[in-house]
Structures are given as C-alpha cells and as structure tokens.
Amino acid sequence: MLTTAAASELKIFIFDMQGYLKKEYRGYSNGSHNLSLNQMNRGSYITRVIPGNCVQTLRINVQ
C-alpha cells in the first residue's frame, strides 16, 4: 500500500537488482493506493515511486 499527501498522478516502476524493469504502473491516486506484487518472483527489488513532481526510491523484498 502506498500513501501520498494528496491526490495526484502516480507512476510506479519496479526494477530487479540488475536494473531491469519488471513492472510498471501508471494511474491516478486519491491519496492511498494498493498495488499487488503477487506475480513477482521472490527477491529484492528497487521501486521508484513518482507521485506528481516528487520522486522516491525504495527497496522492497517480496517473500
């Protein structure tokens, strides 16, 4: 689950640890948004979240 400060356009990019794009999402968030990672393989990923004009990079682990 992702939470943004305000409603905005939302872009999410998920990369494997080698830098390959594995999943991309573009949509609109009204403040909170759920994104399923059920079809992702187990492991660590780098996630770039772009709500509006802000960019945040996170590391996530899928188990």
Side-chain angles (χ1 to χ4, degrees):
M1 174 181 243
L2 297 168
T3 304
T4 59
S8 65
E9 180 182 3
L10 180 66
K11 299 176 208 163
I12 302 170
F13 303 97
I14 300 176
F15 301 91
D16 66 13
M17 296 307 283
Q18 286 76 39
Y20 293 104
L21 181 63
K22 295 296 183 180
K23 190 167 189 167
E24 178 179 342
Y25 174 82
R26 293 174 187 255
Y28 191 80
S29 176
N30 61 358
S32 65
H33 189 79
N34 288 320
L35 180 66
S36 175
L37 300 177
N38 288 340
Q39 297 170 355
M40 301 288 294
N41 292 329
R42 294 173 68 176
S44 296
Y45 296 89
I46 301 297
T47 305
R48 181 161 290 153
V49 181
I50 308 170
N53 294 328
C54 180
V55 177
Q56 186 173 15
T57 302
L58 308 166
R59 181 178 175 188
I60 59 171
N61 293 311
V62 176
Q63 298 184 10

